[in-house]
């Protein structure tokens, strides 16, 4: 299936731990994104990469570090997890950064920090 | 500051009704606007994408319109069904490499 896939789907961890979320797209898109959806369901962009290069870093704490080993993958590593990091994290992709085809989203990773 | 407002925040209608969801945005230099559907605990499904040069798009029972001058988009759902129950999100980009999302309209269609 052509899609944006994220792993894991659920992640429960203790404060202070370091964790990673992985994202892969097989759509041949050049641009990938991480969005955070808070408890009020508001979606806000965190990062965007185009062809492995960072193009958006939206004032996210530097405990969050994205890595794009190739244009089909964008992983998110979070250090020293805090309670406030609990949210659903969505990966998305688009053919180009400013695009006429819109976004395709993954199904989300629900992170719970206890 | 770029913002998107969606009204109403929640809507409950009987099956079969036609309904309109509203989205207003603050940036007239819009590049495109996309409507999404999100089911509880699920990801976002793209419904319709409207380019800045277009005024509307249609897919099945859904019709989305775009009025850049007034900063508004509407999503029209004809003959609503219980399966249409979900949260509907609109988002726009003005070419800044990111979508700005509204907080959504939670729709419940009663059988």
């Amino acid at each position: 299936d052509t899609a944006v896939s994220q792993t894991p789907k659920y992640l429960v961890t203790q404060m202070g731990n370091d964790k990673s979320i992985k994202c892969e797209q097989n759509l041949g898109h050049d641009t990938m994104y991480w969005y955070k959806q808070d408890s009020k369901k508001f979606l806000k962009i965190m990062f965007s990469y185009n062809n492995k290069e960072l193009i958006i870093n939206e004032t996210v704490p530097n405990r969050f570090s994205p890595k794009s080993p190739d244009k089909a993958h964008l992983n998110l590593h979070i250090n020293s997890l805090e309670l406030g990091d609990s949210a659903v994290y969505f990966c998305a992709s688009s053919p180009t950064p400013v695009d006429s085809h819109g976004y395709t989203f993954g199904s989300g990773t629900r992170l719970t920090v206890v | 500051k770029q913002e998107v407002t969606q009204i109403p925040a929640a809507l409950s209608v009987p099956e079969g009704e036609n309904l309109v969801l509203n989205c207003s945005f603050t940036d007239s230099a819009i590049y495109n606007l996309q409507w999404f559907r999100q089911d509880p605990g699920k990801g976002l499904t793209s419904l319709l994408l409207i380019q800045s040069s277009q005024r509307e798009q249609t897919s099945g029972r859904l019709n989305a319109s775009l009025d850049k001058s007034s900063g508004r988009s509407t999503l029209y759902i004809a003959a609503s069904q219980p399966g249409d129950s979900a949260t509907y999100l609109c988002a726009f980009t003005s070419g800044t490499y990111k979508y700005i999302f509204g907080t959504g309209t939670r729709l419940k269609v009663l059988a």
Side-chain angles (χ1 to χ4, degrees), chain A residues 26-44:
Chain A
N26 61 5
L27 298 164
H29 291 172
D30 284 348
T31 313
M32 296 184 73
Y33 311 82
W34 278 111
Y35 276 79
K36 179 179 179 181
Q37 188 172 44
D38 61 24
S39 56
K40 295 184 178 178
K41 306 300 183 187
F42 183 63
L43 270 158
K44 187 172 180 186

Side-chain angles (χ1 to χ4, degrees), chain A residues 33 35 37 42-43 45 55-56 58 90 97-103 105-107 110, chain B residues 31-32 34 36 38 41-44 46 49 51 89 95-99 101-103:
Chain A
Y33 311 82
Y35 276 79
Q37 188 172 44
F42 183 63
L43 270 158
I45 192 164
I55 55 173
I56 293 176
E58 196 78 356
F90 285 100
V98 178
D99 193 70
S100 58
H101 294 90
Y103 280 21
F105 275 85
S107 56
R110 183 174 294 275
Chain B
Y31 189 80
N32 68 51
Q34 197 166 357
F36 296 89
Q38 186 174 26
K42 305 281 186 174
L44 280 72
S46 177
L49 171 71
Q51 304 291 341
L89 296 159
T96 55
Y97 307 140
K98 63 185 178 185
Y99 267 119
F101 277 85
T103 50

Side-chain angles (χ1 to χ4, degrees), chain A residues 2 15 25 29-31 39 68 72 82 86 88 114:
Chain A
T2 54
M15 275 196 307
Q25 54 92 7
H29 291 172
D30 284 348
T31 313
S39 56
S68 182
E82 300 176 357
S86 296
V88 182
V114 297

Side-chain angles (χ1 to χ4, degrees), chain B residues 40-99:
Chain B
K42 305 281 186 174
L44 280 72
T45 301
S46 177
L47 297 174
L48 290 164
L49 171 71
I50 311 177
Q51 304 291 341
S52 62
S53 59
Q54 298 171 326
R55 291 192 64 84
E56 65 177 342
Q57 285 286 325
T58 297
S59 175
R61 294 182 294 108
L62 305 179
N63 174 278
S65 66
L66 175 64
D67 184 342
K68 287 192 299 178
S69 61
S70 65
R72 294 179 189 275
S73 175
T74 60
L75 179 67
Y76 176 81
I77 304 176
S80 57
Q81 303 170 357
D84 294 331
S85 299
T87 296
Y88 290 81
L89 296 159
C90 77
F92 80 94
T93 178
S94 55
T96 55
Y97 307 140
K98 63 185 178 185
Y99 267 119

